[in-house]
Amino acid sequence: MDLKEKVVAAERLSFDEALKLYEMDLFELGALADAKRQAMHGKKTYFNINRHINPTNICADICKFCAYSANRKNPNPYTMSHEEIMKIVDDAYTRDIKEVHIVSAHNPDTGLEWYLDIFKKIKSKYPDLHVKALTAAEVDFLARHYNKSYDAILDLMVEYGVDSMPGGGAEIFDEELRDYICKGKVSSQQWLDIHQKWHERGKKSNVTMLFGHVEKREHRIDHMMRLRELQDKTGGFNCFIPLVYQTENNYLNIKEPITAHEILKTMAISRIVLDNIPNLKAYWVTSTVNLALVAQEFGANDLDGTIERESINSAAGAASANGINLKEFIALIKNTGFTPVERDSLYNELKEW
Ligand code: V47
């Protein structure tokens, strides 16, 4: 059986076979990924109405790719009070958001309660609002800084009302590269262990992969293989999100941005290789809206959401600071021949627009 036949027959690919997919013609590869997407999701494209909140940019860690944390390149440190955060939530709730996505830098000065109590405040005021919060990198930071086990932090998250975990902080799992781009942060195995423990609590999460910087194709495949293995055990990942590296205001100093051709191949390969993760997100923030729309034909079935405010990627050059208008978003999905379906954070369908 040749590689293409194996993909069509839905046989599991080895590392070498997955890597070989990159040598295929883009459109041939795209058609294979699209067939899988259509078999699972038809022409539906999922999105949600959400609000991102990044409550502090003061960070104990130094990731070379990050333009968000307060440092020499971005000397504007801030930490929001809970009142400020609640004001944002109150305001966004009037626009019918279904999810708040709360991710912070690793601020050593706020105390653990500052990180956790805000979830309780949000849930007691808006019990139906989904709280997606705390990346595994934050969990690791809080555990280290406050001398607690991962289990203890994860139990607190459940107690304080976190519904699901976002996929941030995965970056790229290869240890040598990880050491180069974000030394000192949560290790690859720790990131995977934290998500495994979260899944063992009956909870769901997402997973990202930061690509388009110093990594090679084999590092991306290695990242996917490690995820596929964990997902076989837990089934707890809802969605895979390849994040395209944004080049501005950071210390990685990558001069040549990745090509659209390579981004689409990576999307298509993710859809094929990650046969046990149901959703593939083309995160319009890092891919650009236009390429995210094209990615719908290369395996992607989810475009994230309206976001309203975005600080992490926009600090590095993405055009996402003010989110995207809901009506415009829906029209774009429709105009590209897909059916916009509003989902909740756990991928239950809410409304076909
Ligand atoms: O973990 C930081 C990345 C992530 C850059 O779970 C960068 O649904 C590109 O994880 N270029 C945070 N990326 C965002 C994230 C996320 C976003 C949307 C949805 C979900 C989800 C998760 O942003 C970080 C890091 O990998 N990042 N700097 C940069 N220069």
Side-chain angles (χ1 to χ4, degrees):
M1 212 188 265
D2 76 4
L3 185 52
K4 194 172 163 185
E5 285 166 347
K6 235 179 143 172
V7 173
V8 172
E11 294 224 359
R12 266 238 159 140
L13 301 187
S14 68
F15 176 93
D16 290 337
E17 289 167 333
L19 188 58
K20 239 184 160 359
L21 289 176
Y22 271 109
E23 290 168 25
M24 229 179 237
D25 169 77
L26 172 64
F27 292 105
E28 205 179 349
L29 186 59
L32 290 175
D34 188 47
K36 295 204 179 289
R37 179 238 208 261
Q38 296 226 31
M40 287 177 82
H41 305 288
K43 298 291 266 185
K44 287 177 184 169
T45 292
Y46 290 127
F47 70 96
N48 72 351
I49 305 181
N50 60 349
R51 167 79 200 206
H52 280 211
I53 306 176
N54 303 117
T56 181
N57 67 349
I58 296 174
C59 200
D61 283 296
I62 309 158
C63 298
K64 284 200 180 84
F65 54 78
C66 182
Y68 167 65
S69 78
N71 60 38
R72 272 184 294 141
K73 293 212 177 191
N74 173 24
N76 298 304
Y78 71 84
T79 302
M80 294 179 189
S81 66
H82 283 184
E83 291 67 39
E84 284 175 282
I85 298 171
M86 281 312 293
K87 246 178 132 171
I88 294 171
V89 177
D90 289 341
D91 177 52
Y93 198 76
T94 65
R95 287 184 293 281
D96 221 17
I97 57 159
K98 307 292 190 305
E99 169 191 289
V100 275
H101 176 156
I102 303 180
V103 168
S104 283
H106 307 162
N107 189 327
D109 303 322
T110 60
L112 183 57
E113 277 296 298
W114 177 86
Y115 270 89
L116 294 170
D117 213 33
I118 188 62
F119 308 134
K120 205 174 253 175
K121 286 177 181 156
I122 294 171
K123 289 304 278 193
S124 50
K125 192 160 183 188
Y126 304 109
D128 58 329
L129 192 57
H130 184 102
V131 173
K132 181 166 81 181
L134 292 181
T135 65
E138 288 172 272
V139 172
D140 171 72
F141 160 71
L142 294 174
R144 276 188 286 134
H145 196 63
Y146 296 102
N147 208 12
K148 293 197 180 296
S149 64
Y150 291 154
D151 283 311
I153 298 288
L154 294 168
D155 286 342
L156 285 168
M157 285 162 63
V158 174
E159 186 189 326
Y160 279 74
V162 174
D163 294 302
S164 70
M165 279 178 69
E171 320 313 356
I172 197 91
F173 287 144
D174 177 86
E175 278 76 10
E176 204 176 311
L177 278 193
R178 198 173 180 86
D179 236 31
Y180 177 67
I181 66 172
C182 56
K183 195 178 172 66
K185 199 161 87 165
V186 63
S187 73
S188 307
Q189 194 52 52
Q190 287 166 333
W191 192 99
L192 292 164
D193 290 346
I194 289 167
H195 280 261
Q196 177 164 0
K197 285 173 179 294
W198 183 247
H199 298 165
E200 284 165 1
R201 284 162 171 75
K203 301 286 190 182
K204 296 286 187 181
S205 64
N206 292 336
V207 52
T208 56
M209 172 178 77
L210 183 65
F211 74 115
H213 44 89
V214 292
E215 92 293 348
K216 297 199 165 68
R217 289 171 169 179
E218 50 264 41
H219 300 121
R220 296 177 209 148
I221 300 296
D222 167 63
H223 193 93
M224 293 178 207
M225 291 287 157
R226 296 193 206 197
L227 289 175
R228 194 175 70 180
E229 197 184 320
L230 178 55
Q231 180 74 343
D232 274 343
K233 281 193 218 156
T234 69
F237 290 120
N238 267 338
C239 180
F240 180 61
I241 312 163
L243 297 170
V244 182
Y245 167 71
Q246 308 293 297
T247 55
E248 289 175 24
N249 304 320
N250 67 70
Y251 294 97
L252 259 189
N253 229 353
I254 306 293
K255 298 279 184 255
E256 282 281 305
I258 188 170
T259 61
H261 186 273
E262 189 73 4
I263 293 170
L264 290 175
K265 278 196 168 181
T266 304
M267 285 280 176
I269 291 170
S270 310
R271 168 58 75 193
I272 294 166
V273 171
L274 291 172
D275 54 15
N276 53 3
I277 301 186
N279 300 291
L280 173 64
K281 190 182 283 187
Y283 187 45
W284 62 264
V285 166
T286 65
S287 64
T288 74
V289 176
N290 288 345
L291 200 62
L293 293 168
V294 177
Q296 295 175 108
E297 294 183 29
F298 290 79
N301 69 301
D302 186 82
L303 293 190
D304 197 84
T306 45
I307 293 176
E308 293 200 351
R309 187 74 71 220
E310 198 287 318
S311 307
I312 300 176
N313 298 110
S314 56
S320 51
N322 298 315
I324 190 164
N325 174 274
L326 177 62
K327 282 206 177 109
E328 188 190 337
F329 202 39
I330 288 164
L332 286 168
I333 296 171
K334 278 191 179 164
N335 291 343
T336 44
F338 289 83
T339 309
V341 176
E342 184 189 345
R343 60 161 173 84
D344 69 11
S345 305
L346 300 175
Y347 287 86
N348 300 300
E349 294 184 7
L350 298 178
K351 178 176 173 181
E352 193 173 306
W353 286 75

